[in-house]
Amino acid sequence: MESFFTRFKNVLVLVAILLAQTIGLAVQVRRPVESGAPDSSRVTLIRYWAVSIVTPFERFFHGIGHTIRYGWSNYVDLRNTRQQNHDLQDQIARLRLEQASFAEDAMQGHRLQALLDFQQHYVSATVAAQVIGTSGNDLSRVIYIDKGAKDGLKADQAVITPDGIVGKIRDVFPHTSQVLLINDQTSGAGVLLATTRIRAILRGSTTGQILINNLTPDDRIKPGEQVLSSGGDQVYPRGLPVGIIESIKVDPDHQPYTLIQLRPAANLNQLEEVLVITGTQATLSDQAQKDLVTGAATAEAQAADKQLADQQAAEAAARSAAQIVADRLPSIHDDATDAKAGTATTPATTTPPVSVVPKPLPTLHSDRYSSGATPSAADLKPGAPETNNPSIPQTPTPDATTQPATPKPAQPKPRKPQPLSDPTQPPNP
Amino acid sequence: MATRSFTSRRELEQHSFPPAVALLVPLGAILLQALLPRPFPRLAILDLPLIVTVFFAVSRRNPVAGTLTGAAIGLLQDALTAQPIGVNGMAKSVIGYIAASIGIQIDVENLTTRILINFGFFLINSFLLFLINRRLLGLTNFHIYWGHELIRAAINTAVALPIFFLLDNTKRNE
């Protein structure tokens, strides 16, 4: 018996070690928990020991790197800062205008949500953390951040960047936390396609891609469509950017489902700082409400400016139309204008026809049809017309001030000015 | 004058390492593996702990020591991931055992041999991980792209050669 153990000592040791680890694996995966959930307390303890060994070194090297980067970026690499500042100011101004355009819609949406008693969750509290390490294994995409339970972090809290969601906290240690990235093979998230409003489930993969594989083919889904968090997973608040659809193809393993590959909104490969969402609330935060009010005020000012500009444009257009009509209609011009006719007469210099009424020629032999022979309507009396009208002038005296300079008998009678006619419209009978 | 007699190739070429080296080199490999992918994401393709496991196993030429070294490194590596603890531990235990067993039989100082054993062990490691994830853990969506694994094996082999050369200086003959 002794010789057996001595002879097969190496193999027996290997088998014993493999058996022990197999039992350990079986214990860990026995619990029917969802993927990405935190471990049991015993496994957490083992991880805690390992993290306690590695994390101090990670913090040390991260601190050195941070100091060097800080010194470089704050003292050495300050060229073009003024230009960047100017660009950022421009960007702020542009974003303010964009914010103003959305403010009205947002306020209306909030009013409707309040009417419908719709429970929306807004991010109310976040904790900023720095990434200090990774798992070092491309089959397990996790990162370590420098904040833990002492900073108020808990398991299953969402981790984001300003660009989009990053993952969720998987394990929390006193001063460190392990974050499971959304592209890990055990990750999942509820998502919403922004344009088509189709809900789906996002999953990571062994190759580090994020995929949607629970949708059947749909022509409405196109590459380039934005994907948002739906809030249905109770981890990520609704409406956070997740990524953009990169490609759509048939899933060879699960036909007839499609395999939709996404490009993550956040750069998951080079994360420096992240935000952990530690609190949500049903209403907007105070700062967000202030921003919304500012946006609404900007929108009102913008609307007033636009109204004023529209009025001015309408007046200018009316003036322009009047000038065009003046060009088209026959009118009486000054001698000087006639002299310049055919050379450089511009519409702006012509006299508007509405202000000059052409006068008839002086009458040689006046009769009752002659100009001025008809009495004014104010002088007429109701009843039968009088046979002898004593007010008919015999020889009307033309007024020198209203006499036309050069009447043109061949021209037709001036008509009442009308607005510009649309060539597509039929002529007015 | 005392004389020593060697009865086998294993006793002739068995090496040991100072405790500091035996402890700090695996720990440093795991630490570097955790640190490097953050500033250089493409370096996640490296597997420095596996390189160290193979080196210590073939140098010590002791299957028990190789198995234990592989198990310890793999378990510590697992503890930093989101995977169940034991996936890399099992794979690296087997690698340590085989590497130590091969080290008894062939000359592992030769450059060509080192290239071959490193390349081969990286492929075996990938295969073992596939088996453990797919069969033991039942992860049906776990896939391995063998083209990628060949590239990974080639890159890690290229990195392993200078590391082996550096660590050769820490050996001491028994």
Side-chain angles (χ1 to χ4, degrees), chain A residues 403-415:
Chain A
Q403 188 173 2
T406 313
K408 295 179 179 176
Q411 287 182 344
K413 282 181 137 183
R415 292 175 295 177

Side-chain angles (χ1 to χ4, degrees), chain A residues 28 47 134 136 138 140 144, chain B residues 33-34 80-83 85 152:
Chain A
Q28 290 173 71
R47 290 196 197 279
T134 68
D138 60 357
S140 176
Y144 286 87
Chain B
Q33 188 69 43
L80 294 175
T81 67
Q83 294 175 309
I85 294 176
R152 179 209 291 269

